[in-house]
Amino acid sequence: MTRPKVYVARRIPEVGLKILSEAADVQLFSGELPPTRDELLSGVAGCSGILSLLSDRLDGEVFEAAGKQLRVVSNFAVGYNNIDVAEALRRGIAVGNTPDVLTDATADVAVGLLLAAARRFGEAARAVKERAWKTWEPMGWIGLDLRGKTLGIVGMGRIGEAVARRLHGGWGMRVLYTARSTKQSVEAELSARRCELDELLQHSDFVSLHVPLCAATTNLIGEPQFAHMKSTAVLVNTARGEIVDQSALEIALREGQIFAAGLDVCVPEPLLAESPLRKLDNCFILPHIGSATVVARNAMATRAAQNIVAGLRGDKLPFPVSA
Ligand code: NAP
Ligand code: GLV
């Protein structure tokens, strides 16, 4: 019997490749960079499964290029804004992702960014590297305090809650949040309060973004929102770059509308060499490393592969996504 073919868009941890290779012939794209559009379109031809990365756009054209035998696509990520889920489901292609297992890793990065931006780690570390560290400075590198401040979580889902638990538990922060639905257990355990975005922005010292990217959240934080924020506020984004209007962010940081930003995501990725954000001392940027720990990446590989194997069998995916 011929084995189904599965396209894997980049090398992922071995544990995932092993699960896949027991059920299918793995066509691994092993380039250091993502496949180009042409490489993706030709690579998926004849495949019954596609294991994609967040940098691969999967849409009708890709599904068409794969062919009618395509049964399942599984993203090596929890966010799936790179996949046209409605189009996949319309064609009877199941879609999966890797929730939960990267929640702690990503929440840790959000807290790290908050600390780095509030306490000016970027500028201070650069001074050491560039030999500008002259002495212990009683008036130098003064940043913001964290204890007892107000934290605004935009999107109180898995990662938002994990960030709120860290900062409420560790630093005694008051928690405001937005979500589509009220989170009763979070309200009870963290004394968190749900409110409208404008109110959250007005009262928060730290604002951390955790909504998925979709039409409703694109440019959710732009000029009018920065105008609501405190001049001492710090914005943290580990969600998706497109949720923040980057030109408005640059102005807000340059003109002191907010104190600083800590970003794990931006537009495009990587950020353009000439982006003004790279030059701003009060913008601390990481190269999208939220889930980059051994445990998280192995578990993501496992979940992404388990989705594919279930989809090839025609079973319900263990970690499905709906439109
Ligand atoms: P999640 O559990 O689904 O949480 C999303 C939250 O956003 C929920 O509270 C949800 O509200 C809210 N929400 C959804 N759609 C919304 C809308 N249109 N308007 C306002 N709020 C909305 O997701 P998660 O696992 O925490 O992940 C969140 C995002 O983080 C992912 O989508 C991904 O883009 C990003 N991420 C980044 C990294 C990284 O490496 N930097 C790693 C992992 C994830 P309800 O609960 O009421 O539905
Ligand atoms: C990473 O950004 C993810 O969505 O898993």
Side-chain angles (χ1 to χ4, degrees):
M1 201 177 89
T2 53
R3 279 153 57 89
K5 287 198 290 180
V6 171
Y7 182 78
V8 180
R10 210 95 63 78
R11 180 162 286 286
I12 60 166
E14 212 49 47
V15 60
L17 294 175
K18 186 165 180 296
I19 294 169
L20 290 175
S21 58
E22 281 161 10
D25 283 344
V26 174
Q27 317 252 312
L28 177 65
F29 181 82
S30 56
E32 193 191 339
L33 295 177
T36 63
R37 188 73 179 166
D38 283 348
E39 286 169 336
L40 180 64
L41 291 173
S42 58
V44 299
C47 287
S48 303
I50 302 174
L51 194 148
S52 52
L53 271 61
L54 52 84
S55 40
D56 307 309
R57 183 164 49 85
L58 297 194
D59 54 14
E61 190 185 21
V62 174
F63 305 145
E64 202 62 42
K68 290 219 174 318
Q69 76 298 325
L70 181 63
R71 303 188 80 155
V72 56
V73 301
S74 178
N75 222 26
F76 183 74
V78 67
Y80 49 86
N81 50 284
N82 57 306
I83 301 178
D84 186 340
V85 178
E87 178 61 19
L89 299 181
R90 193 184 69 74
R91 291 169 180 256
I93 302 163
V95 182
N97 69 343
T98 62
D100 299 312
V101 290
L102 40 48
T103 295
D104 282 327
T106 309
D108 289 345
V109 165
V111 173
L113 284 169
L114 187 152
L115 270 168
R119 296 298 304 273
R120 304 171 60 180
F121 284 1
E123 290 168 78
R126 196 165 50 252
V128 176
K129 284 224 158 98
E130 294 175 356
R131 303 188 183 193
W133 177 22
K134 297 195 179 72
T135 181
W136 185 84
E137 294 187 44
M139 301 300 286
W141 311 119
I142 293 177
L144 302 175
D145 295 285
L146 275 67
R147 177 147 299 278
K149 293 295 174 72
T150 298
L151 170 69
I153 297 284
V154 179
M156 185 63 93
R158 291 170 290 243
I159 300 171
E161 179 178 338
V163 171
R165 286 189 183 281
R166 282 158 172 72
L167 292 168
H168 177 75
W171 282 272
M173 289 196 193
R174 285 187 297 274
V175 180
L176 298 176
Y177 74 96
T178 66
R180 292 175 301 187
S181 54
T182 300
K183 310 295 174 190
Q184 264 149 8
S185 64
V186 178
E187 296 202 353
E189 290 168 41
L190 308 184
S191 308
R193 185 166 69 79
R194 185 173 171 216
C195 62
E196 293 300 321
L197 180 62
D198 285 354
E199 186 188 346
L200 179 150
L201 296 173
Q202 213 177 333
H203 294 291
S204 295
D205 300 295
F206 301 100
V207 175
S208 196
L209 306 181
H210 302 289
V211 284
L213 176 62
C214 60
T217 61
T218 301
N219 288 334
L220 185 69
I221 308 294
E223 195 189 328
Q225 288 70 36
F226 286 116
H228 277 108
M229 291 174 71
K230 297 184 183 186
S231 59
T232 50
V234 169
L235 176 73
V236 172
N237 189 6
T238 57
R240 285 289 181 268
E242 293 85 346
I243 294 165
V244 177
D245 174 343
Q246 242 167 234
S247 310
L249 172 64
E250 185 216 324
I251 294 168
L253 288 169
R254 206 163 12 84
E255 297 188 350
Q257 283 171 19
I258 64 171
F259 179 79
L263 311 176
D264 188 41
V265 289
C266 54
V267 190
E269 293 182 1
L271 194 58
L272 296 177
E274 62 274 21
S275 168
L277 289 180
R278 285 183 186 254
K279 298 206 180 79
L280 290 173
D281 277 339
N282 56 351
C283 192
F284 188 92
I285 307 175
L286 294 174
H288 204 149
I289 63 166
S291 65
T293 70
V294 175
V295 167
R297 288 284 163 86
N298 281 336
M300 288 164 68
T302 302
R303 292 199 161 187
Q306 288 169 337
N307 277 332
I308 296 276
V309 172
L312 294 178
R313 286 201 201 107
D315 292 345
K316 188 175 172 313
L317 304 198
F319 312 103
V321 158
S322 53

